[in-house]
Amino acid sequence: MSTTQSERLRALLEPLVSSQGLDLEEIEVDSVGRKRVLRVVVDSDTGADLDRIADVSRALSAKLDETDAMGEGEYTLEVGTPGAERLLKEHRHYVRAVDRLVKFELAEGGELVARILKVDDDGLDLEVPGVKGRKATSRRLAFPEIDKARVQVEFNRKDKKEEEA
C-alpha cells in the first residue's frame, strides 16, 4: 500500500497542529520552477490569529527540519488560514459558517444563496434573502442535497454586535 507525500505529511504534521489547538484543513505541495512550496492551511472554531499562525509555523518548520518528509531539495513553507470564500467540506466548516452567506450548488441541480442559521447532524437551517422587497424565507437543507458550498464575501454585512446594540 503506497501513500502519497501529502498523506505522509498529514500523518506527520496533524498531531502537531492539533496540539496547538488548531485543525489541519489542507496540505498541498506545489512545484514553482525549481523550488517547491508546502502550503498548510489551519483553522479552529475561534479562528487563528497571526500569533497562532506564527507559533504553528515555527513548530511545523522544526518538525520538518528533523525529518526527511520533504526530501533533500529546497522548499518554502507557507502556513495560513482558509480564504474568505472558503469551500465548505466538513461538518465543522458549516458550523464555523453559521451567520454567513453561502452559495450552495445543489445535488439536484441549481444554486441557492442563503445564510446559515443553524447546523445539526443532518443538515442546515437557512434564511433565504428576499428579492425585490420580499421578506426572507426559511429553508431546511439536508447534507445529501448539497453538492458544493462556498462562503460568500459580504462587504456591507452587519455585525451581530452592532445589531444587538
Side-chain angles (χ1 to χ4, degrees):
M1 179 174 142
S2 70
T3 58
T4 66
Q5 183 179 27
S6 290
E7 289 168 336
R8 288 191 307 272
L9 286 167
R10 179 173 286 279
L12 177 70
L13 303 179
E14 194 157 30
L16 191 55
V17 171
S18 295
S19 74
Q20 302 276 329
L22 297 167
D23 295 317
L24 180 58
E25 298 293 352
E26 292 179 40
I27 290 180
E28 182 181 321
V29 181
D30 282 332
S31 294
V32 180
R34 295 196 314 192
K35 283 194 171 184
R36 291 173 301 146
V37 178
L38 170 59
R39 289 187 185 87
V40 178
V41 178
V42 297
D43 201 7
S44 78
D45 290 344
T46 58
D49 62 21
L50 288 177
D51 290 335
R52 289 179 80 186
I53 297 294
D55 290 345
V56 78
S57 181
R58 282 190 288 275
L60 293 177
S61 181
K63 186 68 160 179
L64 290 165
D65 287 347
E66 68 187 41
T67 69
D68 66 347
M70 286 299 293
E72 294 295 316
E74 286 185 41
Y75 69 93
T76 302
L77 173 64
E78 295 179 0
V79 180
T81 57
E85 292 188 353
R86 80 172 303 165
L87 190 61
L88 306 178
K89 297 178 183 176
E90 306 285 335
H91 186 271
R92 69 177 179 264
H93 298 165
Y94 289 97
V95 171
R96 291 175 186 161
V98 167
D99 294 325
R100 302 287 309 269
L101 198 63
V102 175
K103 181 178 182 180
F104 297 94
E105 290 182 25
L106 304 176
E108 65 189 25
E111 295 179 344
L112 171 69
V113 176
R115 189 169 309 282
I116 298 176
L117 300 176
K118 183 181 170 198
V119 180
D120 59 35
D121 291 341
D122 300 317
L124 315 167
D125 290 337
L126 306 172
E127 178 185 76
V128 181
V131 182
K132 297 183 181 177
R134 293 191 180 126
K135 287 190 173 194
T137 57
S138 296
R139 177 162 177 188
R140 176 80 181 160
L141 197 57
F143 287 117
E145 296 177 81
I146 303 168
D147 192 32
K148 278 188 181 177
R150 185 176 300 276
V151 172
Q152 301 297 287
V153 174
E154 295 180 83
F155 293 106
N156 58 354
R157 178 176 167 223
K158 286 185 180 177
D159 191 4
K160 273 187 138 183
K161 292 174 187 165
E162 289 176 19
E163 291 175 4
E164 293 171 1

